[in-house]
DNA sequence: GTGGTCTAGACCACC
DNA sequence: GTGGTCTAGACCACG
């Protein structure tokens, strides 16, 4: 369920974990209500410090994606999240813009970018 | 030609500068061979330390997008880049994946993402 | 493990540090996986500014010889390098050519150059 | 007789010119007594500033390799140079050491380095 | 004037 | 404690 962490990557370890959970939820791989591993267990599995996993879970809780019940563990929220309306669209546009820039510099035409996205979407739905 | 820096943004200042130049080249706003401002001048213009601009220029040079001639200044390369084929496509796919994740969590359907990209592409071509 | 820096040498300090590490790895004096001193500590030891050591470490990382883990430190890569095949041989030939030129102008015959190299090789292997 | 200058190279232009002359003399391509082009002519040919060529000629004169006669031009000295004994051997050893380091990191065995040098020596003598 | 390097100190995020 | 970034100023070599 979790893929290995890259400790040399530029994005901090705790955020790599956050992304993994968010991706899992967005793609449906992790269903609402699902119990997450204890931060200690996940730390062992990912070969990182327990505090680091804890920080990721805290971040997810702050984002309203995860709920922690004392003595029970951490769970994906049933109604995962209220999409913050405007701000999020802006973020979306910015990521899209970066994608376009990268594509241009790599010499990939627009149509190829669109096809790439369609392919990824199909892949995650299957 | 350069837009203001956001010194409190999460992405480091030097990288904001890198992105501005890359975006400019990708969109055609900065033509090949164009001389960039001296790193000192740009530092004044952007209200940052000269070393910070220097670091951005160094990075761009390492990426093969910019060429520096001592005593002359820095210039956009004539043939801006030998696209590192595999590696870059992987990067592209990863950015695309992040875009999809963000869209899903924001509740935006696939078609809306595709339309957003098309709109941005049109906008930059006009 | 590190020898003193010559701050008045023509070759920049940060590159002297790069060379020391490269030499150490090439000769086997610094084994793969070895942790390097923190750039602050090494700065104290070599009596240079921390940023200068940092610049050297960054360069080594770009060369694929060193791997940096945030909050952990910098380490010699386990499989130190994927030798960039062509480019590196060209560099080798160029250095060899400079050696020959220097030898000729110093009046040293070819055989003496060869013997010098053999002697250095023996010395480092012992 | 002169090969193009690389204005983006790390080694300064004037020194690239110095090297070209030194190499030419060492290999015999430029015979003693040979007249060098005027610094203005060479500047045109190499597409650099006249002052830069002048600086290279000055350097060569300081090294005792070139002699300038006012109104006549610059000439390679008849008895090109008194080899500064000790200092130069030390320099030689240092260059040899760098060659060995590069070779090791490129994975080239000692014998290959020796053969490379022999090949270059043959090449220049032919 | 331009880039190349270096310094001494600061603040922050991460582990 | 560790790396990551930034600053403000300095000096030098180059063109």
């Amino acid at each position: 369920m979790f893929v290995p962490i890259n400790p040399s990557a530029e994005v901090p370890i705790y955020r790599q974990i956050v992304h993994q959970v968010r991706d899992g939820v967005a793609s449906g791989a992790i269903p609402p209500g699902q119990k997450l591993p204890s931060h200690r267990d996940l730390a062992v599995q990912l070969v990182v410090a327990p505090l680091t996993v804890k920080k990721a879970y805290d971040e997810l809780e702050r984002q309203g994606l995860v709920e922690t019940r004392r003595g029970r563990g951490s769970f994906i929220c049933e109604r995962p999240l209220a999409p913050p309306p405007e701000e999020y669209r802006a973020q979306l546009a910015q990521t899209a813009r970066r994608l376009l820039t990268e594509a241009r510099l790599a010499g990939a035409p627009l149509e190829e970018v669109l096809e790439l996205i369609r392919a990824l979407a199909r892949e995650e739905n299957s």
Side-chain angles (χ1 to χ4, degrees), chain A residues 16-92:
Chain A
Q16 291 183 47
I17 299 174
V18 168
H19 286 153
Q20 282 200 34
V21 175
R22 289 181 71 86
D23 288 1
V25 171
S27 71
I30 310 182
Q34 165 90 45
K35 181 180 187 309
L36 292 172
S38 85
H39 69 264
R40 270 176 259 265
D41 285 354
L42 187 50
V44 170
Q45 185 185 334
L46 295 180
V47 198
V48 301
L51 242 178
T52 305
V53 181
K54 181 67 163 48
K55 192 170 180 181
Y57 281 10
D58 286 352
E59 172 86 18
L60 286 163
E61 198 162 0
R62 235 175 292 119
Q63 293 178 2
L65 202 77
V66 155
E67 191 181 3
T68 293
R69 268 118 51 182
R70 279 233 305 243
R72 307 275 320 282
S74 298
F75 302 80
I76 302 295
C77 291
E78 285 298 342
R79 202 187 37 64
L81 86 169
E86 287 310 313
E87 178 192 345
Y88 228 74
R89 290 299 161 98
Q91 161 81 16
L92 210 62

Side-chain angles (χ1 to χ4, degrees), chain A residues 87-102:
Chain A
E87 178 192 345
Y88 228 74
R89 290 299 161 98
Q91 161 81 16
L92 210 62
Q94 189 181 338
T95 301
R97 221 180 291 267
R98 291 203 50 194
L99 180 63
L100 276 177
T101 294
E102 288 171 8

